[in-house]
Amino acid sequence: MKIFFAVILSFLTVTSFSQSAIRVTVIKCESRQNPLGIETPTPSLSWQMESDKRAESQSAYQIVVSDQADFKPENANYWDSGKKESDQSIHVRYAGKQLSAAKRYYWKVRVWDKTGQPSKWSAAGYWQMGLPSKSDWGKAAWLALTPWTDSMRVVPGIHVPHNNPKFGKKVSGAHPLPMFRRDIRISKKLKRATAFITGLGHYEFSINGKNADTDFLSPGWTNYDEYTYYNTIDITGALKPGRNALGVMLGNGFYNVPNERYRKLLVAYGNPKMICKVLLEYQDGSTEEIVSDETWKVTESPVTYSSIYGGEDYDATREQKGWNLPGFDDSKWKKPLIVNKEEKLVAQIGYPMAVMDTFNVARISQPKPGVWVYDMGQNASAIPQLTVSGKAGTQVKITPAELILDDGTVNQQASGEPHFYQYTLNNEKIQTWQPKFTYYGFRYIQLEGAMPEGEANPNTLPVVAGVSSLHVRSAAPRTGSFSCSNDLFNRIYALINWAINSNVTHTVTDCPHREKLGWLEETYLMGNSIQLNLDMELLNKKLFSDMRSAQLKNGLVPDIVPEYVPFEGGFRDSPEWGSASVILPWYCYQWYGDKSLLLDNYEMMVRYVDYLTSKSNQYILMHGLGDWFDMGPGPMGESQLTPKGLTPTATYYYNATILAKIAAILGKQADIAKFTDLAANIKKAFNQKFYDKTNHQYGTGSQTANAMAVYLGLAGGAEQDLVYKKLNQNLVDNNYVLTAGDIGFHYLVKVLSEGGASDVLFKMNNRNDVPGYGYQLAHGATALTESWPALRNVSNNHLMLGHLMEWFYEGIGGIRQAETSIGYKNLIIQPQFPGDLTEAKASYQSPYGTISTSWRKEERYVTVEVQVPVNANAALILPVAESAEVTENGKGIVSRPGITIRGKQIFVGSGKYNFRFKN
């Protein structure tokens, strides 16, 4: 009889093979390589290692820090940790001398292997401090073009006011958008130059006519009444001896949403403004500061309309050639207004947005005279780029869309209309333009007022030489990859990935067009799916700041953060959404191993769960949206198949269990008892209200109800197995048709994958005949849609419902953490071989390094290749007969380097392995 034969990869001393030194390969400060703008006085330091030896681990480390770039370890003048006997290699806190604002620090680390042999010192890395206090900004002032009065303010925002005349032009975007300039002189040999800068809502910073960085839509979105992000940019290479020019252009962003064109909401915090401090450090040790003040000049920019929702207009005839070059005549420009409003400035957390991909035209059509539609082949968060020539003053209208109507023109009905761009040409030369301060989700680009190159042009309209789609998202690095022998699953992986790509920006958005809002349930339900593909550690930290900022006095964390407009009912207070404030910090601690995530957010978590307790009736919650967009008989929206109180109460229970664990980690003894008791009371009430003991199911027996109860441990004792069996039987009886929605599908995937039912998941998703992933692809989707049936009247690029991504990595790929693991230190490698799959590959860049699996089924044998990073360990679980022979690199596992057998288990450490066993 076949059994599961466990192969547990662990750190064990093995003496049967030769030793080689550990190499420190990657070092990070605050989870980034060589970061700028660090404000914490005790930055966290992490490193990754490699070794030619298997089963290798760190037994000790030493960190040295200096303010000199070329320092020797023995001359470290800020911190020498000494040799620390520890295997900790992630999030070691700096504990040296006090750090100074704006100063750069250099560091190195060496480690000792498990036998006590030291490595070489790592290459030096660095971090540069930001400006954590108001005084650090010196005399830098906020500069504006036009005045602002509080009577023009609309905060909180208003949801879809439909051009309410009450607000007139005060939030109409009628005030002009500014651009600022200043010449500076570099009179001595420069060592380093750093710009600390921000602009509201967004800014573009140039030096000597060229952009100072590749950032898009900086700074990140925040609750502007609480704090504003600034960016730290190394501009040393952009400056030259003698005269230089600094230039800044501004757009509205979420800081001011105009009333014209499409808008999900109306909000106005203030008029566009900027603040800047440039620190010049010279080779002779002297320094100089250039700050934003009355010596700058300002005028109206060629951007005549800017809206994060409505689009952008640019009049190239208003360009002033050379405005951001040294020596430009700005005598006709104005002195800027000094804005006295206080703004709390905080260094931006995480990666900026940037252009990450470019799509070229796949097909051109002409649905109507004068209307040309360009199919870019991929639905993505993007901006159009236009290359055109024509008469000065002529205009080209650019309208993006996800879909096309039956007549072939673009369709914005479900994505927010009208959103468009108008470009006014300035001469007959070929010119290339793209929006600076907005974006949209689209596949198609409709052009009016111009002709494609090579077409008959009797009216001498502008001629389009090129159209591109520039995909914009967070510049967070990729962390994972997956592929398998099933073409449909590879296409589903890409489908979900494009929803992830399109909705990881300065927050985690629901869609890149209609709303662009941070609905919180996606951050944890889709959190694992996202972080397996993109590095989310820093953006999630930013989200926690957003949550803390948005939390009300009564403890409520609203469904959306930043909360620019308070919505009503379940759209503001749904426990499955607000519980991201508890669940996501816990998940992030597990993923990344940073204990500060728990310390910094513990008060917020406790206050939110106390709020839920105040809203409960005998530990039952009955409010909220429930299993949003489940597949029921009626129109999609609020939960149809699962009793509304079931999902919030189950989530409430999950919160309590998490807080009991966190309290134990933080040593809060009273809270351990408080939340353990609360969880027990919720569980008892939940079962009394929702459990049908006769039919062994919860609520109506929906996929969501039973999956949540089993996965969260609400089904007690022997009932757990009975409910799990009922869940599986219901799937069989209903021909494996999925019905779970936004909340429940995550738990359904998890419980089936971890319960060994990958064949069920395979049958549910290896099809295109019923609503689901294959159905969406069969109907032309190139990004995950908002609804299982890919309805045309809802978003066709939406983040929710992508939970199958977890199964690709954790199920088929077999890469997941052990239950008590932190930071992927202790792994379980358990690849699953469902259906007709014959091979699969998965990799993930963990805090310790690369984890990868690759397996292949042949006629008689299965080969499984595994890579585990130094200082981590794992458990490989393979479905083989107890007496079956398992080989590693063609030899019996007893004799293989790094392998020790104990009973029926095989213990192995880090390294690369090639296992083979009979199919």
Side-chain angles (χ1 to χ4, degrees):
M1 183 177 68
K2 289 204 172 189
I3 64 167
F4 282 107
F5 189 66
V7 182
I8 301 181
L9 304 174
S10 178
F11 286 103
L12 292 174
T13 300
V14 181
T15 59
S16 60
F17 60 103
S18 61
Q19 179 109 12
S20 62
I22 285 179
R23 301 177 297 278
V24 179
T25 55
V26 176
I27 65 174
K28 295 182 178 182
C29 172
E30 288 293 303
S31 304
R32 291 187 70 174
Q33 291 180 268
N34 302 332
L36 307 180
I38 299 300
E39 291 195 343
T40 174
T42 57
S44 77
L45 305 174
S46 306
W47 54 93
Q48 295 177 4
M49 297 162 282
E50 292 180 357
S51 175
D52 298 327
K53 203 180 215 183
R54 288 178 171 179
E56 191 53 85
S57 60
Q58 171 188 301
S59 62
Y61 69 82
Q62 182 181 8
I63 299 170
V64 289
V65 180
S66 173
D67 61 354
Q68 300 299 311
D70 56 353
F71 80 105
K72 294 181 179 180
E74 59 270 23
N75 296 329
N77 62 347
Y78 265 76
W79 186 38
D80 183 343
S81 69
K83 183 180 179 181
K84 298 291 185 182
E85 304 286 344
S86 170
D87 69 347
Q88 184 179 357
S89 59
I90 60 174
H91 298 296
V92 176
R93 288 285 163 183
Y94 171 82
K97 294 180 183 177
Q98 183 174 342
L99 303 172
S100 301
K103 193 168 183 177
R104 186 169 291 193
Y105 297 92
Y106 302 86
W107 70 289
K108 300 176 183 179
V109 61
R110 65 172 173 173
V111 301
W112 282 258
D113 65 20
K114 66 183 180 183
T115 65
Q117 297 299 311
S119 73
K120 293 181 180 179
W121 287 99
S122 70
Y126 64 82
W127 74 85
Q128 186 166 345
M129 300 300 290
L131 306 178
S133 68
K134 184 179 178 182
S135 61
D136 295 326
W137 285 86
K139 295 181 179 180
W142 284 96
L143 308 182
L145 171 63
T146 55
W148 179 268
T149 63
D150 284 343
S151 64
M152 303 165 73
R153 177 178 162 90
V154 181
V155 178
I158 305 156
H159 182 209
V160 194
H162 300 292
N163 294 308
N164 191 325
K166 172 183 175 183
F167 302 104
K169 289 187 175 293
K170 69 180 182 181
V171 285
S172 70
H175 54 269
L177 294 163
M179 58 185 188
F180 305 84
R181 74 173 310 278
R182 181 182 165 177
D183 279 2
I184 64 173
R185 180 172 291 277
I186 306 298
S187 57
K188 293 188 286 187
K189 195 168 182 180
L190 192 63
K191 175 184 177 183
R192 181 165 50 250
T194 308
F196 305 90
I197 184 171
T198 193
L200 294 172
H202 295 299
Y203 72 92
E204 185 178 82
F205 179 38
S206 61
I207 300 175
N208 296 332
K210 295 181 180 180
N211 285 354
D213 54 33
T214 59
D215 296 3
F216 179 74
L217 293 185
S218 285
W221 308 318
T222 61
N223 176 353
Y224 299 108
D225 277 347
E226 295 288 329
Y227 53 92
T228 294
Y229 283 139
Y230 69 89
N231 301 104
T232 306
I233 308 170
D234 187 329
I235 60 172
T236 311
L239 296 173
K240 60 184 181 180
R243 294 183 71 178
N244 294 264
L246 310 179
V248 179
M249 295 181 69
L250 300 183
N252 283 317
F254 276 105
Y255 191 66
N256 177 25
V257 177
N259 200 20
E260 299 91 0
R261 303 186 195 174
Y262 174 72
R263 62 274 174 277
K264 175 67 178 178
L265 53 91
L266 255 179
V267 66
Y269 286 89
N271 55 338
K273 56 186 177 179
M274 61 82 68
I275 190 170
C276 176
K277 173 180 173 178
V278 174
L279 175 62
L280 303 174
E281 300 174 70
Y282 295 108
Q283 294 280 5
D284 64 5
S286 63
T287 62
E288 182 182 357
E289 291 184 3
I290 310 295
V291 298
S292 49
D293 57 19
E294 67 278 357
T295 64
W296 288 60
K297 290 293 190 72
V298 64
T299 193
E300 295 183 18
S301 86
V303 179
T304 58
Y305 175 83
S306 164
S307 171
I308 196 69
Y309 286 117
E312 186 168 305
D313 294 347
Y314 188 91
D315 186 349
T317 65
R318 298 176 57 170
E319 289 181 343
Q320 299 186 45
K321 188 175 181 180
W323 74 273
N324 52 0
L325 293 175
F328 174 78
D329 181 5
D330 58 14
S331 59
K332 295 183 180 179
W333 287 34
K334 301 177 181 179
K335 282 189 175 182
L337 296 177
I338 304 298
V339 181
N340 295 320
K341 185 176 186 299
E342 295 291 331
E343 301 279 355
K344 181 181 179 182
L345 290 167
V346 177
Q348 181 163 309
I349 302 172
Y351 295 94
M353 287 181 67
V355 174
M356 303 302 290
D357 289 286
T358 299
F359 295 100
N360 296 317
V361 179
R363 178 176 173 269
I364 304 175
S365 61
Q366 186 184 19
K368 292 181 179 180
V371 178
W372 298 88
V373 175
Y374 293 72
D375 181 357
M376 310 310 294
Q378 177 62 55
N379 189 354
S381 55
I383 53 175
Q385 185 183 70
L386 176 69
T387 300
V388 64
S389 62
K391 294 179 181 178
T394 54
Q395 287 188 338
V396 181
K397 183 179 180 181
I398 308 165
T399 307
E402 293 187 308
L403 304 171
I404 55 174
L405 296 167
D406 293 340
D407 66 0
T409 58
V410 293
N411 177 7
Q412 291 185 340
Q413 292 174 358
S415 54
E417 64 178 342
H419 176 107
F420 62 88
Y421 315 95
Q422 287 194 148
Y423 178 70
T424 304
L425 285 73
N426 63 351
N427 56 50
E428 295 189 7
K429 294 180 181 179
I430 290 179
Q431 48 211 272
T432 298
W433 175 81
Q434 64 208 47
K436 299 176 183 292
F437 302 117
T438 189
Y439 74 104
Y440 201 68
F442 65 88
R443 171 177 172 173
Y444 302 95
I445 297 173
Q446 180 171 293
L447 295 185
E448 298 169 77
M451 300 288 288
E453 198 171 41
E455 296 289 337
N457 191 4
N459 298 320
T460 62
L461 294 173
V463 176
V464 177
V467 174
S468 297
S469 170
L470 307 182
H471 166 51
V472 294
R473 68 159 172 87
S474 166
R478 289 222 163 270
T479 52
S481 64
F482 169 85
S483 64
C484 68
S485 58
N486 185 302
D487 179 65
L488 177 57
F489 284 175
N490 292 335
R491 292 170 64 210
I492 292 172
Y493 173 80
L495 186 84
I496 300 170
N497 231 329
W498 273 109
I500 292 171
N501 290 342
S502 299
N503 287 288
V504 176
T505 58
H506 287 310
T507 185
V508 177
T509 63
D510 59 332
C511 59
H513 35 62
R514 184 183 69 219
E515 296 192 0
K516 297 185 175 82
L517 296 176
W519 292 91
L520 286 181
E521 95 290 2
E522 298 166 330
T523 64
Y524 73 94
L525 293 170
M526 277 293 294
N528 197 25
S529 295
I530 300 171
Q531 71 91 21
L532 287 167
N533 288 279
L534 294 176
D535 183 352
M536 289 294 291
E537 182 174 5
L538 299 175
L539 181 55
N540 283 335
K541 279 187 177 181
K542 187 264 183 186
L543 295 179
F544 302 146
S545 295
D546 291 340
M547 293 178 197
R548 294 193 301 268
S549 173
Q551 189 169 32
L552 305 187
K553 291 181 179 179
N554 64 4
L556 169 66
V557 175
D559 292 7
I560 299 171
V561 301
E563 191 185 30
Y564 296 121
V565 55
F567 289 168
E568 296 179 353
F571 296 103
R572 194 187 198 203
D573 182 6
S574 195
E576 306 91 333
W577 276 248
S579 290
S581 61
V582 177
I583 301 171
L584 188 61
W586 173 242
Y587 283 179
C588 285
Y589 169 66
Q590 293 178 309
W591 296 331
Y592 303 117
D594 186 357
K595 191 175 178 180
S596 71
L597 297 173
L598 306 181
L599 290 164
D600 294 346
N601 296 292
Y602 187 72
E603 180 184 353
M604 171 182 68
M605 300 180 204
V606 171
R607 289 180 58 215
Y608 181 69
V609 172
D610 286 347
Y611 168 76
L612 293 182
T613 299
S614 74
K615 294 277 288 186
S616 70
N617 182 5
Q618 298 296 309
Y619 303 105
I620 298 293
L621 295 170
M622 294 299 293
H623 68 286
L625 301 174
D627 192 24
W628 182 253
F629 263 54
D630 60 348
M631 283 290 293
M636 302 187 80
E638 296 189 25
S639 181
Q640 300 183 61
L641 303 180
T642 304
K644 213 179 226 190
L646 190 147
T647 54
T649 306
T651 307
Y652 176 34
Y653 168 77
Y654 194 27
N655 293 343
T657 63
I658 287 172
L659 275 175
K661 294 175 183 176
I662 295 173
I665 292 169
L666 301 182
K668 298 180 180 292
Q669 297 301 318
D671 282 358
I672 297 173
K674 171 185 173 180
F675 292 113
T676 300
D677 291 344
L678 177 61
N681 288 328
I682 299 170
K683 183 174 183 176
K684 181 179 179 181
F686 182 87
N687 281 286
Q688 288 175 345
K689 184 169 183 64
F690 296 112
Y691 188 50
D692 179 352
K693 197 165 186 177
T694 302
N695 294 306
H696 308 298
Q697 67 183 27
Y698 283 83
T700 56
S702 68
Q703 293 171 8
T704 292
N706 287 337
M708 286 191 77
V710 172
Y711 185 77
L712 299 180
L714 281 157
E719 299 297 323
Q720 185 91 350
D721 290 337
L722 294 173
V723 177
Y724 180 73
K725 289 177 181 177
K726 184 63 177 274
L727 171 65
N728 277 272
Q729 189 59 50
N730 284 346
L731 288 166
V732 173
D733 293 344
N734 288 283
N735 192 29
Y736 302 101
V737 174
L738 65 88
T739 59
D742 182 21
I743 306 302
F745 190 60
H746 163 79
Y747 296 103
L748 181 64
V749 170
K750 294 291 282 187
V751 78
L752 292 175
S753 179
E754 295 182 16
S758 268
D759 278 326
V760 174
L761 283 168
F762 182 90
K763 292 173 182 176
M764 288 176 66
N765 294 285
N766 186 38
R767 61 195 301 182
N768 61 16
D769 58 324
V770 294
Y773 299 113
Y775 189 89
Q776 293 180 15
L777 288 164
H779 285 73
T782 60
L784 183 64
T785 73
E786 186 175 8
S787 66
W788 287 126
L791 299 174
R792 291 169 62 86
N793 63 338
V794 297
S795 166
N796 273 251
N797 188 342
H798 220 79
L799 186 57
M800 68 185 199
L801 302 179
H803 313 110
L804 198 68
M805 182 68 76
E806 292 186 80
W807 180 58
F808 289 151
Y809 282 94
E810 297 186 347
I812 296 174
I815 298 173
R816 59 187 172 93
Q817 290 202 80
E819 186 175 355
T820 58
S821 173
I822 301 298
Y824 284 84
K825 188 173 181 65
N826 310 111
L827 309 171
I828 295 175
I829 305 294
Q830 186 179 6
Q832 299 169 4
F833 316 135
D836 60 2
L837 287 184
T838 58
E839 60 181 297
K841 295 180 180 180
S843 69
Y844 172 67
Q845 186 62 226
S846 78
Y848 291 95
T850 301
I851 305 164
S852 68
T853 63
S854 175
W855 61 264
R856 183 175 65 258
K857 290 173 68 175
E858 299 170 321
E859 186 175 345
R860 294 182 57 198
Y861 292 94
V862 177
T863 300
V864 178
E865 297 179 1
V866 177
Q867 178 179 353
V868 178
V870 169
N871 222 23
N873 57 80
L876 175 64
I877 303 175
L878 301 173
V880 299
E882 184 175 354
S883 59
E885 180 184 14
V886 178
T887 62
E888 197 280 313
N889 268 332
K891 297 181 181 180
I893 55 177
V894 174
S895 62
R896 296 303 296 146
I899 298 177
T900 301
I901 297 177
R902 290 182 180 175
K904 296 180 180 180
Q905 295 181 329
I906 302 172
F907 296 84
V908 184
S910 62
K912 295 181 179 179
Y913 299 89
N914 185 314
F915 293 94
R916 199 176 191 220
F917 57 91
K918 281 191 175 181
N919 188 358

